[in-house]
Amino acid sequence: MRWVSWVAVVGSCLLSATAQAPRRLFVAPGELPPVKSVEIFGQKIVYYDVGTGPAVVLVHGFASQASVDWGHVIRPLAEHHRVIALDLIGFGESAKPTIDYDIQTFVDFLGEFLRTLKVEHFALAGESLGGWVVASYTLEALGPENTGSYAVPKPEKLILEDAAGHKAFHSDGPSPLMSSLKDGASIASILYDKSLMTEAAMRENFAIKLKANDGATQRLFRANMNVDSETVGDKVAAITIPTLIVWGENDPIVPLDDGKDFAAKIPGAKLVIVPKCGHAPSIERPEQFMAAVKPFLK
């Protein structure tokens, strides 16, 4: 009886410890679909393509990659959608040519990527830098000059997650985003819930960054002063497709006021604020992120 009681106590402790353990910050590679690759402008672009149904294209943030920003939501979205999540040129497992990286670089590669994959009817989502890229891409795609044989595909819905690009970096001093880029912000600094950044998560993040080897891309982008002129600002008023804006209430990188201003300027846009969340709800609060995105995509 004493042995049975001891087993019961140990089992109870193990269950309690498991219940209290923080969830895994990064999705294990084996839990994600196999990656694919395609040549765009002579450069390899790596991407996930999984599921069937209406297409959703996901664009990650600065110094990140698809498996990090979207790892927790790719499979859930793929239950009812075709999910395409790419590593931008210069990041993740995609090619890293030595070029002058700016927003237009990412927009051009995204457009050619979608044309090559023949993606025509789709929703477009971007996180942080990715939000800046997809907002700029949408403005270009919806513009009157996007016609002819080289026209880029037009998104039908837009999702901005803690999007950068609201205003120029140097107009009235460095923006929080530029300061974070210069300081090389770690993933720990973007989180509200610091318990997620366990020692195992720190080690895994370090391994991911070493494998990505995107330091040159980061430096080239930060040094490119053309980026200042590429902010979207008031131009987002020309975005005429349904738009969802998802923002972490406690974002330390791109302030919530930027999200509110995006929502105010984009006609009919809906703003969802995720409480107790930092810069990336899709990483930190994926359940809440999906709760906002699923009904919007319907």
Side-chain angles (χ1 to χ4, degrees):
M1 287 297 293
R2 284 197 300 271
W3 182 83
V4 172
S5 299
W6 180 82
V7 170
V9 169
V10 171
S12 175
C13 291
L14 287 174
L15 286 172
S16 176
T18 301
Q20 295 174 4
R23 68 165 178 80
R24 187 184 177 98
L25 186 59
F26 305 104
V27 175
E31 298 175 11
L32 289 169
V35 295
K36 300 180 180 181
S37 66
V38 63
E39 192 170 286
I40 304 296
F41 297 132
Q43 303 294 319
K44 184 178 79 168
I45 298 297
V46 172
Y47 64 101
Y48 297 101
D49 190 346
V50 61
T52 58
V56 183
V57 179
L58 308 176
V59 182
H60 64 78
F62 184 78
S64 191
Q65 57 197 72
S67 62
V68 172
D69 284 9
W70 307 113
H72 290 289
V73 303
I74 287 176
R75 290 290 192 190
L77 281 173
E79 292 175 5
H80 302 287
H81 299 273
R82 178 190 179 189
V83 180
I84 303 168
L86 72 154
D87 286 351
L88 289 170
I89 185 73
F91 293 114
E93 295 186 47
S94 290
K96 300 172 182 67
T98 304
I99 57 176
D100 290 329
Y101 289 93
D102 57 15
I103 298 302
Q104 193 60 48
T105 301
F106 301 126
V107 168
D108 290 343
F109 268 89
L110 176 59
E112 189 68 9
F113 172 79
L114 295 172
R115 277 170 27 89
T116 302
L117 267 61
K118 295 181 171 55
V119 180
E120 295 180 349
H121 302 286
F122 63 102
L124 184 57
E127 195 278 326
S128 190
L129 173 73
W132 187 353
V133 171
V134 301
S136 299
Y137 176 88
T138 300
L139 288 168
E140 184 173 304
L142 299 180
E145 296 181 356
N146 184 37
T147 58
S149 57
Y150 289 99
V152 296
K154 298 179 181 180
E156 296 177 347
K157 291 184 178 181
L158 179 65
I159 300 172
L160 301 178
E161 180 188 0
D162 295 70
H166 177 263
K167 54 188 175 182
F169 291 145
H170 307 292
S171 60
D172 52 1
S175 71
L177 175 68
M178 179 51 96
S179 298
S180 71
L181 298 188
K182 286 183 176 179
D183 295 340
S186 67
I187 193 164
S189 68
I190 74 171
L191 298 172
Y192 174 81
D193 183 359
K194 302 302 182 183
S195 71
L196 292 171
M197 204 63 198
T198 61
E199 182 178 348
M202 287 189 285
R203 290 176 178 275
E204 191 170 3
N205 182 56
F206 187 55
I208 290 170
K209 294 305 299 175
L210 285 176
K211 184 178 180 181
N213 192 26
D214 61 7
T217 306
Q218 295 183 45
R219 289 189 293 272
L220 289 165
F221 181 81
R222 290 196 298 259
N224 192 340
M225 295 301 291
N226 289 335
V227 173
D228 282 359
S229 64
E230 295 182 301
T231 52
V232 291
D234 293 344
K235 291 183 287 188
V236 295
I239 293 177
T240 55
I241 59 176
T243 300
L244 172 68
I245 299 166
V246 183
W247 220 273
E249 180 184 33
N250 312 97
D251 188 338
I253 307 299
V254 184
L256 176 58
D257 284 347
D258 282 17
K260 292 178 178 178
D261 200 58
F262 275 127
K265 287 185 167 65
I266 299 174
K270 178 183 179 182
L271 172 64
V272 174
I273 300 172
V274 181
K276 296 183 179 180
C277 183
H279 182 56
S282 56
I283 299 175
E284 187 172 2
R285 298 282 185 264
E287 296 84 4
Q288 288 87 335
F289 178 81
M290 288 298 300
V293 166
K294 275 188 173 181
F296 174 75
L297 290 178
K298 282 186 178 180

